[in-house]
Amino acid sequence: MADQRRPDQAGRGAGGFGRGRGAGGRGRGRGRRPARKEEAKEWVPVTKIGRLVKEGKIKSLEEIYLHSLPIKEPQIIDTLLAPGTLKDEVMKIMPVQKQTRSGQRTRFKAFVVVGDSNGHVGLGVKSAKEVATAIRGALMVAKTSMVPVRRGYWGNKIGAPHTVPMKVTGKCGSVSVRLVPAPRGTGLVAARVPKKLLQLAGVEDVFTSSTGCTRTLGNFVKATFDALQRTYAYLSPDLWPRTKFALNPYQEFSYFLSKTSQ
């Protein structure tokens, strides 16, 4: 029997409707949708310091650290540091549990370290229901908690600073970490956990000594980070000269902030 369907029905399934098995039709199903490409959203700063950084009024992290201004947005770090210089490392991901009425609630805790290997390092800790969310949150916390690391010399001041300027000690829980200056070429004499933090901080030579339960990685990395923070807490003779005070960025650019405030 000849096919008596209209030309516009040719290629369709039995009965002239779609999704049939006839040749030339759409075939089975609707096919897969093309993957959506995540568009990078433009950063809209919500803090005063964020607005100053985006407009180019503040051009380095040292201007922020000089006046002890808090960094609340991770995009500030991304903007001020050159692209490709900031590196991050996931130190550990551990499950943590909380007892509730319905049972145990398990979440994941991530420890992330960031640094540019040039005197800036940060540590972030975050818990979340999913591993990816915990790592993403810890990375943001690490960027907002970045601190400057002071570097110095072991002997003669020849070349670039390569070690810590003095003996410093950091503590967290039962773990205590001591950093001791070392001569050039010694390398990082440290365990795996503090070595990664020291590399991201830009320290090339150092001796370390640790006591306590260093098996607890969270306290071990926090104690090392505390020791690096203390490098600027010690007032050495080279910091004795009279300081020339500059205006706070909030005061210097007060007119700009008042115009751009919402």
Side-chain angles (χ1 to χ4, degrees):
M1 184 176 180
D3 188 359
Q4 302 191 6
R5 288 180 290 176
R6 297 195 307 271
D8 62 331
Q9 294 179 345
R12 297 187 179 182
F17 297 99
R19 299 193 184 182
R21 303 195 181 196
R26 295 197 315 185
R28 293 188 180 185
R30 300 181 180 179
R32 293 186 179 180
R33 296 182 179 177
R36 294 183 178 178
K37 295 182 180 179
E38 295 184 0
E39 299 179 359
K41 296 182 180 179
E42 184 182 359
W43 173 38
V44 180
V46 296
T47 59
K48 290 182 181 179
I49 191 170
R51 302 206 310 261
L52 293 175
V53 168
K54 188 175 181 180
E55 293 298 325
K57 305 293 184 183
I58 295 178
K59 299 180 181 179
S60 68
L61 283 173
E62 277 62 36
E63 296 180 39
I64 298 175
Y65 295 140
L66 181 64
H67 299 279
S68 301
L69 302 177
I71 299 175
K72 299 293 186 181
E73 298 175 85
Q75 292 88 348
I76 294 174
I77 302 296
D78 298 329
T79 304
L80 293 178
L81 294 181
T85 58
L86 192 65
K87 299 179 182 178
D88 57 87
E89 180 80 17
V90 179
M91 302 300 294
K92 186 178 182 181
I93 299 172
M94 56 182 291
V96 291
Q97 293 181 332
K98 178 183 178 181
Q99 188 68 37
T100 61
R101 290 182 180 180
S102 57
Q104 291 181 341
R105 187 192 67 180
T106 303
R107 304 174 80 196
F108 296 97
K109 189 176 185 179
F111 295 85
V112 176
V113 177
V114 297
D116 63 348
S117 300
N118 191 25
H120 302 104
V121 69
L123 171 65
V125 184
K126 184 69 175 178
S127 297
K129 293 182 180 179
E130 297 180 2
V131 175
T133 310
I135 294 176
R136 197 181 312 117
L139 183 60
M140 295 173 65
V141 174
K143 288 181 180 179
T144 55
S145 66
M146 284 192 76
V147 296
V149 177
R150 187 174 167 205
R151 292 168 293 175
Y153 301 88
W154 177 79
N156 292 333
K157 297 181 180 180
I158 301 174
H162 62 97
T163 184
V164 290
M166 76 289 292
K167 297 177 184 178
V168 287
T169 303
K171 197 173 190 314
C172 181
S174 67
V175 183
S176 179
V177 176
R178 191 183 193 206
L179 305 180
V180 181
R184 196 182 297 273
T186 303
L188 299 176
V189 184
R192 182 185 64 87
V193 173
K195 180 180 284 189
K196 178 57 66 176
L197 200 60
L198 291 166
Q199 285 175 347
L200 293 175
V203 179
E204 299 174 7
D205 310 289
V206 72
F207 294 121
T208 63
S209 172
S210 59
T211 60
C213 187
T214 56
R215 183 179 174 185
T216 308
L217 186 143
N219 288 351
F220 201 8
V221 70
K222 286 180 181 178
T224 309
F225 183 67
D226 182 44
L228 291 173
Q229 276 184 306
R230 292 173 185 266
T231 55
Y232 267 108
Y234 185 82
L235 188 64
S236 55
D238 57 329
L239 297 178
W240 286 358
R242 185 179 297 275
T243 304
K244 294 181 180 179
F245 294 100
L247 280 177
N248 188 298
Y250 295 155
Q251 295 175 325
E252 185 178 356
F253 303 107
S254 58
Y255 181 76
F256 169 79
L257 293 172
S258 63
K259 291 295 182 181
T260 58
S261 61
Q262 297 178 356

